[in-house]
Amino acid sequence: MKRSKKLFIWEIMVSVLLMTQIGCHMNAQNKAEESLKIGITLYNQYDTFVSAMMNDLQEYAIAQEKEWETDIIIDIYNASGSQIMQNEQVEKMIEDGCDVVCVNLVDRTEPTVIIDMAEKNNIPVIFFNRELVEEDLERGNNLYYVGAKTLESGIMQGEIAAAIFKNNVKADKNADGIFQYVVLEGEAGHQDAIVRTEYSVSTIVDNGVRVEKLGYAIANWNRAQSQTKMAHMLLEYGENIELVLANNDDMALGVVDALKTAEIPTEEWPVVLGIDGTEIGIKAVKNREMAGTVYNDANGQAERMLDLAYELCIGGELERLGLEDGKYIRLPYAKVEPDDVDKFLHSQSSDSKPHT
Ligand code: GAL
């Protein structure tokens, strides 16, 4: 199992803690106990957004240890795109005595093995970022989901695109009154990819802008794949492309890479929009390589996930966390455009919360 240096260092730290701790168990008095052991498995540790979320979670855990008077032990596993490996990792976490298991599902349609193991052992599971269908979440009493308000990302990206078209005549390069676009999509079947593409385009149209789809390509959230796919689309559609809707920032940056490699002068670039508001994405908005992005609150999701894990561990009051239907935590998105980019950049270098 390959791990990033940062995760490795973290694991050494948490292993030292582990030697001195006792486990955290449900407690009738709702009183915090000495330690909380959390097992986390990631669908792919190299995913930019997910790894940023893990860094935020680790920083928050360090801050909360004092506040909660609890040692927090976190073991992070990389499932490397294999659902079978992820199932085995969850089995190991349960054997290792994790109080709570957090799962970034590889295959969002295949949570059954994990749900069955957790139910049998009476361990709470928090799924995050890759949403399972509601029926699966209903299959146990101790299952939760932490993510974002999915529809908002596409709607906000569409609003940014429509405003650019209306306010900037140069965006309509061929001056035909129609926004010719291509889409770079995330993984097929991922809830965010499906919804972002659909709502981004429908919002542009709802805002009174006519559109024409030239093409699309699936690039699995990945910058290098996106660069390759965009290079093909540039050969096929060339300067007819006026707008690129990328389902995330890494793919938008891959588009920027392709435009640079093709040596297209910046004044002839299409409008490039992403989603996530990763640090590199926001910097690209600041330097105008991307026209905008939509902030996906990695920090907020990380913090709410740890809060939930803690309350589940101590048998605390979940009400204060404001769960929807007793099971869901969903955080809002925010638009990031060149003029307000600094408050997001500032947030990433300090506590990574946008100061709105
Ligand atoms: C999305 C995010 C993508 C990618 C994906 C992984 O929410 O926008 O960049 O991280 O999750 O599941």
Side-chain angles (χ1 to χ4, degrees), residues 146-179:
V146 176
K149 298 191 183 208
T150 317
L151 300 190
E152 284 186 5
S153 52
I155 292 172
M156 289 182 182
Q157 189 184 55
E159 286 171 353
I160 297 173
I164 290 172
F165 191 80
K166 287 178 180 173
N167 299 329
N168 181 353
V169 278
K170 284 191 189 152
D172 184 12
K173 292 200 280 179
N174 62 0
D176 67 349
I178 302 171
F179 221 178

Side-chain angles (χ1 to χ4, degrees), residues 105-305:
L105 274 169
V106 172
D107 181 344
R108 55 187 282 265
T109 65
E110 289 292 342
T112 313
V113 175
I114 292 174
I115 291 175
D116 290 348
M117 276 191 289
E119 283 286 297
K120 201 165 138 210
N121 292 279
N122 201 21
I123 307 281
V125 182
I126 306 173
F127 294 97
F128 67 100
N129 170 263
R130 299 165 70 86
E131 187 168 353
L132 56 174
V133 294
E134 201 179 334
E135 292 71 27
D136 281 332
L137 208 66
E138 295 298 331
R139 290 184 40 220
N141 294 323
N142 231 346
L143 306 175
Y144 304 87
Y145 177 75
V146 176
K149 298 191 183 208
T150 317
L151 300 190
E152 284 186 5
S153 52
I155 292 172
M156 289 182 182
Q157 189 184 55
E159 286 171 353
I160 297 173
I164 290 172
F165 191 80
K166 287 178 180 173
N167 299 329
N168 181 353
V169 278
K170 284 191 189 152
D172 184 12
K173 292 200 280 179
N174 62 0
D176 67 349
I178 302 171
F179 221 178
Q180 274 82 15
Y181 71 94
V182 298
V183 185
L184 268 304
E185 292 190 358
E187 289 163 273
H190 190 297
Q191 82 279 349
D192 289 334
I194 298 165
V195 161
R196 287 175 185 172
T197 302
E198 182 183 338
Y199 279 81
S200 183
V201 174
S202 66
T203 303
I204 300 173
V205 173
D206 290 349
N207 276 270
V209 174
R210 289 169 65 201
V211 293
E212 180 188 352
K213 181 175 185 172
L214 298 178
Y216 81 99
I218 294 175
N220 297 309
W221 310 120
N222 181 281
R223 182 169 180 162
Q225 287 184 34
S226 172
Q227 178 177 357
T228 307
K229 300 278 168 83
M230 184 63 190
H232 287 303
M233 290 201 280
L234 280 172
L235 287 176
E236 198 164 350
Y237 309 112
E239 62 188 21
N240 293 329
I241 304 172
E242 296 174 338
L243 168 67
V244 182
L245 298 169
N247 282 173
N248 79 343
D249 283 355
D250 269 6
M251 294 190 295
L253 291 162
V255 168
V256 168
D257 296 337
L259 292 166
K260 286 182 180 168
T261 305
E263 296 184 352
I264 298 171
T266 46
E267 59 278 9
E268 291 171 23
W269 284 18
V271 171
V272 180
L273 296 177
I275 290 175
D276 269 348
T278 57
E279 198 172 342
I280 38 172
I282 289 175
K283 283 188 180 144
V285 176
K286 188 173 170 74
N287 68 24
R288 313 252 165 182
E289 290 178 339
M290 283 165 56
T293 184
V294 179
Y295 184 74
N296 187 2
D297 189 356
N299 183 263
Q301 290 167 44
E303 292 188 359
R304 295 294 78 74
M305 187 159 89

Side-chain angles (χ1 to χ4, degrees), residues 4 13 189 250 279 328:
S4 72
M13 286 165 55
D250 269 6
E279 198 172 342
Y328 291 89

